Amino acid sequence: MRIFSGWWVLLGLLLIYMANNGILMNTLPLFYPELMAEFGWNEDQVTGPAALFFILAAILTPPIGALFDRYSTRGVMAVGIGVVIIGLVLYPNIGSLTQLTLVYLIFAVGLASCGLVPNMLILTRWFARYRGIAVGILLMGSSLGGALFPLLVRETLVSGGWREAVASITVVGTVMMLVAILFLVKNFPADKGLHIDGDDSDTPGDDHADQSRSEPESAPAAPAGHTLRSALKTQVFYLLAVATATLWFCIVGIFNHQPIFLRQDIGVAVEVFPILLSLFFWSAIIGKLLFGYLCDKFNRIVILLASVINLIIGLLLLRIVNLETAWMLYAYVVILGAGFSGAFTMIQVVIAEFFAGNSFGKILGVYTMIDSIAGGLGIKYLGASRVADGSYLPAFTTLTVLCVIVCFMLLYLMRLHRQHRQQQATA
């Protein structure tokens, strides 16, 4: 039986997402302790450019998201990939905090053009019935990059230093992204004479079925689902925005400061931490696949709630980890990794559950903007808290409380989801 071309498209998206997110977001924080040692920066200073990176990427996401709905998504992604490569080439040559900040500004422009939004947009054009597992596989890419790249640079980091380590992953990441965008990624199933999910006919009742017809790339079929304007009139939009922004505040903040906390406060050795970081992301891969699979079988908001509870358990373990009880350190890495990835995956699926349609690029762009700003603020909050309090523990307590509040918000969202389903059934 012939393999549906959408799976090859998904492979291309996976490689791109694995390289850009796997390096920019999940591997570069590995070098923060080295930058602090070489330049004398504190926790707030060394993570400040990353916070600015998230905020600028957020500001750029809505206008670029609109381009994805109007022009060739693949073409815009190709430009973004080129910008990311330029930033990676410049990174090993930085000599000041200003230069590091400029490199992260370049990363922001590139990632807004080839990051989560265009990947999710192309994926939803190709998959409807298998969307949950497809999203899980796609989002596995950032974790797969986070699992492999730290191991790739481990020996170089110990023997040659952080500059050579960054240069090595730049070469690998560049090859991955260029091969994917040139040979695997296509905008629409219609580009290959196919329908969504590879069906012989349009999937009945699916928001994206019309997009698979043989229409020009820049002008998909008649609008389906919510427009951005109609989405902004719903209670669900704002509840989801607050809940997902809160989760991103916690997830992005803790991840960017995790290397500093474990290396400097706990005392994990430089040669050991890449292994822990890799294990963190292998656990995240399992979490993304598991939660992606479960969301195709059960209520997707319930699965999101379960992932947040998992995240809370990981945060509680983080407060008590130490080198004397190594099993607890590894338990924290596994549990927080799974909770981190599950929450991240389910956020995307739940947003699509309510707002998938021809304006999904704009809507997801707004959510990504809000979440990215929250993530940047989370990085800044933890850095400022560490400098002011001399410890990360008060900030960890705040993050745990915020995740508990999100659990109650999701319980209310379940009620709104039932009403949403009833309205769809009677429409």
Side-chain angles (χ1 to χ4, degrees):
M1 179 169 37
R2 184 177 180 182
I3 298 176
F4 171 47
S5 295
W7 298 111
W8 292 109
V9 172
L10 179 59
L11 174 61
L13 298 177
L14 175 70
L15 290 174
I16 294 171
Y17 200 58
M18 177 180 172
N20 60 36
N21 272 52
I23 295 175
L24 303 189
M25 294 187 178
N26 298 339
T27 305
L28 292 186
L30 172 68
F31 306 117
Y32 289 162
E34 274 59 46
L35 295 175
M36 294 172 67
E38 179 172 332
F39 297 107
W41 301 331
N42 63 31
E43 294 85 358
D44 192 26
Q45 290 174 320
V46 75
T47 57
L52 184 61
F53 158 73
F54 276 92
I55 293 172
L56 179 59
I59 294 172
L60 293 173
T61 293
I64 293 180
L67 294 180
F68 296 138
D69 285 327
R70 185 173 180 183
Y71 301 107
S72 168
T73 307
R74 179 173 175 265
V76 178
M77 287 183 70
V79 174
I81 287 171
V83 175
V84 168
I85 292 171
I86 291 173
L88 287 172
V89 170
L90 294 175
Y91 195 104
N93 300 299
I94 63 167
S96 67
L97 191 58
T98 299
Q99 292 177 353
L100 179 64
T101 302
L102 290 175
V103 168
Y104 268 99
L105 294 180
I106 293 172
F107 286 154
V109 175
L111 198 63
S113 304
C114 68
L116 178 62
V117 173
N119 280 277
M120 279 292 296
L121 181 57
I122 290 180
L123 182 148
T124 56
R125 291 170 178 168
W126 283 84
F127 295 95
R129 186 169 62 252
Y130 303 111
R131 185 179 295 152
I133 191 62
V135 169
I137 292 172
L138 171 63
L139 298 185
M140 180 183 68
S142 62
S143 295
L144 189 57
L148 296 178
F149 286 119
L151 296 180
L152 178 65
V153 303
R154 178 171 176 262
E155 293 298 328
T156 306
L157 179 61
V158 174
S159 61
W162 67 269
R163 296 179 191 274
E164 290 187 20
V166 174
S168 66
I169 58 176
T170 296
V171 173
V172 176
T174 296
V175 172
M176 291 169 59
M177 290 187 287
L178 291 181
V179 168
I181 197 66
L182 291 175
F183 301 108
L184 296 174
V185 175
K186 302 294 180 183
N187 282 305
F188 291 95
D191 295 343
K192 296 182 71 68
L194 300 171
H195 294 288
I196 196 166
D197 283 320
D199 291 339
D200 292 333
S201 60
D202 294 335
T203 303
D206 185 79
D207 290 332
H208 293 279
D210 287 343
Q211 288 187 347
S212 64
R213 294 174 183 159
S214 300
E215 303 287 338
E217 287 183 9
S218 60
H226 274 287
T227 64
L228 176 59
R229 178 174 295 183
S230 67
L232 289 171
K233 295 178 181 178
T234 66
Q235 183 181 8
V236 169
F237 181 90
Y238 298 99
L239 184 62
L240 266 177
V242 175
T244 60
T246 303
L247 287 175
W248 270 74
F249 180 91
C250 300
I251 291 171
V252 175
I254 195 64
F255 179 74
N256 277 267
H257 286 272
Q258 178 179 241
I260 302 172
F261 174 69
L262 294 180
R263 285 279 308 279
Q264 305 214 147
D265 293 12
I266 302 300
V268 175
V270 61
E271 65 271 16
V272 174
F273 183 72
I275 297 175
L276 287 175
L277 189 61
S278 179
L279 178 60
F280 177 91
F281 282 110
W282 282 117
S283 303
I285 291 170
I286 295 173
K288 286 179 178 179
L289 289 174
L290 176 62
F291 285 109
Y293 171 78
L294 290 176
C295 82
D296 283 337
K297 302 295 183 180
F298 304 100
N299 184 295
R300 293 171 178 181
I301 302 175
V302 172
I303 304 304
L304 174 57
L305 176 61
S307 70
V308 176
I309 293 173
N310 203 68
L311 186 63
I312 292 171
I313 295 172
L315 286 171
L316 292 174
L317 283 174
L318 183 60
R319 295 180 55 86
I320 57 177
V321 296
N322 57 73
L323 293 181
E324 296 179 0
T325 52
W327 68 268
M328 191 175 296
L329 180 61
Y330 285 95
Y332 146 73
V333 168
V334 171
I335 293 173
L336 189 70
F340 151 82
S341 66
F344 180 72
T345 300
M346 293 311 304
I347 285 171
Q348 318 309 320
V349 175
V350 170
I351 292 173
E353 179 80 2
F354 286 98
F355 300 114
N358 283 352
S359 294
F360 185 56
K362 296 185 183 73
I363 295 172
L364 185 60
V366 172
Y367 273 108
T368 303
M369 177 190 69
I370 296 170
D371 293 344
S372 296
I373 290 175
L377 293 176
I379 297 172
K380 192 66 178 175
Y381 167 71
L382 263 74
S385 178
R386 175 63 176 82
V387 172
D389 299 329
S391 170
Y392 278 114
L393 295 183
F396 291 165
T397 299
T398 301
L399 300 187
T400 304
V401 172
L402 288 175
C403 287
V404 171
I405 293 173
V406 169
C407 289
F408 286 100
M409 296 176 66
L410 293 177
L411 290 173
Y412 181 64
L413 186 62
M414 289 180 196
R415 178 182 176 184
L416 297 180
H417 184 251
R418 286 194 294 269
Q419 296 175 356
H420 176 74
R421 285 296 194 186
Q422 292 170 357
Q423 291 172 357
Q424 284 186 326
T426 57

